[in-house]
Every structure is written in C-alpha cells, then in structure tokens.
C-alpha cells in the first residue's frame, strides 16, 4: 500500500492517468457520435462541428491539468481552470484567427446554410469551387471538388463571409440553359426554324440523363429564340437529377446535334467573313 500511495503521488504517474482518462473520454465521444451517425444514416454538419468542440475542450482541460502538477505552473493553471472568463481571454489572445474560425463555425452550424453531403458552389477570389461538403471541424470546412476530386480546405471564417450557393436544397439549380446558335439565313426560313427547334427538343428528351419537363407527351419542349449580332440562339432548359449529370448531358446533346443539324441542312453560326463581288486590280 505504501508503494502504491507513493507511486500515485508522483507527477508523471498522475499525468499518465490524466492522459488515459482523456483518451477514454475521446473514445467514448467517438463511439457516441458514431452511434448517432448510424442511427441518422448520415453525419451532419452540426455533429461534425460539435465533435471537434468536445475533443478540443477535453484536450485543453488535459493540458491544464497536467501543467498544474508542476509547481511553476500550478497557480497559473488552477487560476485558468477556475475562471472561465480568463480562459476565454487567454485562448482568444493566443488563437485569434482560430477563435474566429470557431465562432464562424458555430454560426454556420446554427443557421445551417449547408450540410455534410450537400453540393455547393462558391467563388474565392479568382477561383470557383464546386463540390460536396465532406466535413467541418473547429478550423475549417472540407469541400471535395467534382471536377478533379481534390479537397479544398476552407477556413470557417471564409465560408461564413462569402456567398455559397447550395445546389442540394435548391433543386432547380440542376436545371441549366443550353443554347445553340444557328445562322440568320436558316432561321429566316420558317420551316427550317421549326425543324431546328423540333430537333433540339427531341435530342434533349432522348438523352437518358435528362428529366422530361413536358406536361404532355405530345408537346415539345419550350425553345426560347433570341436574336444576337451574328446568330439566332435557340435556348432550352436541360434538367437532370444532379449537376454532374447535367454537365455530361449538355456535352452529349451538343455532339448529337452536330450530326442531326448537318443531316437536316441547318447551319451553326460562327464568326466568319464572306467576300461578295469581283476582285479588281488597278
């Protein structure tokens, strides 16, 4: 018994016990959030953020308790542990930028402009980020880009201060306009213009990725006609289940139109110069 009492009084042993307790608490937190995730099916943004908050709090308390074992840090650590306001001041001074990210992260989890798994778009300077929200911790949010599968690590303060377009909650954002430019010569022929619109409508509907927006199977999709400087533009909305599907569907539709318009003798408009008249030499 004397040996055990002497051992428990040793600072390194106490520090090891504190670390073990903190480790067990962190594991219990992981198990609790895992069970919550399994019950809900997906882990949302609030869970991801709160898990980081709890882990951070456990680690801070662990560090302060370990420091309190040494005489030089005992009074300082105990003062901080007993004063929550002083703790906030000290941490705020040391981690000014980090504290800003924590506050903005808390604001995001409260108002929830997006959630884990949501498809978002945002612009940071000259860079446009489009992808899925993967996770969020005390410092940053991770977004996986749809184009190259890379992960963008964005500070929470930046996420909260920029315009974020949520394409998941706004389903209509999976609807994008597709424009085709034909020549004025073909567009001024009523039969060719009607044929060009019909071919565009049929090509969109035949694509396996698109959603049929017609109220009746007998009608065609609405094609908007606009007059530009050197072309007549035919524009129609293409709607798909996901933005990625829309990206591929647009390419497939344009490729199919190249062949079908050529077969129908309908010309695409493009910048070119046509010389009319005789060329005379002086």
């Amino acid at each position: 018994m004397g040996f055990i009492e002497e051992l428990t009084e040793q600072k390194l042993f106490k520090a090891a016990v504190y670390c073990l307790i903190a480790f067990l608490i962190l594991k219990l937190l992981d198990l609790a959030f895992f069970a919550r995730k399994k019950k809900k099916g997906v882990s949302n943004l609030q869970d991801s953020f709160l898990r980081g908050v709890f882990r951070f709090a456990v680690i801070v308390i662990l560090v302060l308790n370990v420091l309190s074992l040494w005489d030089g840090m005992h009074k300082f650590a105990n003062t901080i542990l007993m004063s929550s306001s002083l703790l906030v001041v000290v941490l705020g001074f040391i981690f000014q930028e980090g504290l800003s990210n924590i506050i903005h992260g808390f604001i995001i989890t409260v108002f929830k402009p997006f959630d884990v798994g949501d498809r978002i778009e945002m612009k940071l300077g000259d860079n446009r980020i489009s992808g899925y929200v993967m996770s969020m911790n005390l410092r940053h949010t991770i977004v996986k880009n749809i184009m190259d599968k890379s992960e963008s690590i964005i500070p929470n303060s930046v996420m909260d201060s920029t315009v974020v377009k949520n394409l998941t909650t706004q389903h209509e954002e999976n609807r994008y306009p597709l424009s085709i430019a034909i020549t004025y010569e073909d567009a001024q022929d009523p039969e060719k213009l009607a044929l060009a619109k019909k071919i565009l409508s049929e090509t969109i509907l035949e694509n396996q990725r698109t959603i049929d927006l017609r109220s009746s199977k007998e009608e065609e999709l609405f094609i908007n006609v606009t007059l530009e400087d050197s072309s007549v533009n035919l524009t129609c909305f293409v709607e798909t289940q996901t933005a990625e599907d829309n990206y591929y569907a647009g390419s497939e539709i344009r490729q199919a139109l190249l062949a079908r318009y050529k077969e129908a003798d309908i010309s695409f408009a493009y910048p070119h110069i046509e010389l009319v008249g005789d060329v005379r030499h002086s």
Side-chain angles (χ1 to χ4, degrees), residues 95-106:
F95 307 109
Q96 294 183 33
E97 183 177 352
L99 189 60
S100 174
N101 287 324
I102 293 174
I103 293 173
H104 286 285
F106 177 75

Side-chain angles (χ1 to χ4, degrees), residues 176-226:
Y176 291 90
L178 184 146
S179 292
I180 300 297
I182 64 174
T183 64
Y184 268 95
E185 289 78 8
D186 287 342
Q188 287 175 323
D189 183 332
E191 292 185 359
K192 275 196 172 184
L193 178 59
L195 181 59
K197 294 169 65 176
K198 181 179 181 181
I199 291 175
L200 176 56
S201 176
E202 290 176 349
T203 306
I204 293 173
L205 293 171
E206 289 170 3
N207 188 278
Q208 295 182 349
R209 303 177 191 270
T210 60
I211 297 173
D212 193 341
L213 299 177
R214 298 175 299 172
S215 57
S216 171
K217 295 297 182 182
E218 288 73 30
E219 65 182 18
E220 296 178 4
L221 293 172
F222 173 74
I223 310 295
N224 184 49
V225 179
T226 56

Side-chain angles (χ1 to χ4, degrees), residues 13-29 58-59 61-62 65-66:
F13 179 77
K14 288 183 178 180
V17 171
Y18 289 153
C19 291
L20 179 60
I21 293 173
F23 176 78
L24 292 175
I25 293 174
L26 291 175
K27 286 298 180 182
L28 288 174
L29 282 173
V58 170
I59 293 172
I61 294 173
L62 168 65
N65 275 286
V66 171

Side-chain angles (χ1 to χ4, degrees), residues 42-207:
V42 293
S43 177
N44 63 25
L45 198 69
Q46 194 173 51
D47 286 349
S48 180
F49 181 77
L50 288 178
R51 182 182 178 186
V53 170
F54 289 135
R55 291 178 68 88
F56 178 74
V58 170
I59 293 172
V60 169
I61 294 173
L62 168 65
V63 171
L64 292 175
N65 275 286
V66 171
L67 289 176
S68 69
L69 296 174
W70 277 263
D71 296 335
M73 300 296 295
H74 179 76
K75 186 175 181 180
F76 172 75
N78 282 344
T79 301
I80 293 180
L81 284 171
M82 296 300 293
S83 175
S84 58
S85 59
L86 182 59
L87 177 62
V88 172
V89 172
V90 172
L91 293 178
F93 178 76
I94 298 175
F95 307 109
Q96 294 183 33
E97 183 177 352
L99 189 60
S100 174
N101 287 324
I102 293 174
I103 293 173
H104 286 285
F106 177 75
I107 293 173
I108 292 173
T109 59
V110 170
F111 293 98
K112 294 186 72 172
F114 52 82
D115 205 344
V116 171
D118 283 359
R119 166 76 189 283
I120 65 171
E121 285 186 359
M122 58 189 299
K123 190 174 182 181
L124 299 178
D126 295 332
N127 298 322
R128 177 177 168 272
I129 296 176
S130 180
Y132 291 94
V133 179
M134 303 301 295
S135 65
M136 179 183 182
N137 56 34
L138 293 178
R139 180 186 175 275
H140 57 256
T141 301
I142 298 178
V143 179
K144 188 171 185 178
N145 296 297
I146 63 170
M147 297 302 295
D148 56 7
K149 304 300 181 182
S150 64
E151 292 186 349
S152 297
I153 301 173
I154 309 167
N156 293 331
S157 58
V158 175
M159 291 292 297
D160 192 35
S161 59
T162 191
V163 176
V164 178
K165 182 187 293 185
N166 192 328
L167 302 182
T168 299
T169 58
Q170 302 174 3
H171 178 68
E172 66 272 14
E173 293 296 343
N174 291 329
R175 178 189 297 181
Y176 291 90
L178 184 146
S179 292
I180 300 297
I182 64 174
T183 64
Y184 268 95
E185 289 78 8
D186 287 342
Q188 287 175 323
D189 183 332
E191 292 185 359
K192 275 196 172 184
L193 178 59
L195 181 59
K197 294 169 65 176
K198 181 179 181 181
I199 291 175
L200 176 56
S201 176
E202 290 176 349
T203 306
I204 293 173
L205 293 171
E206 289 170 3
N207 188 278

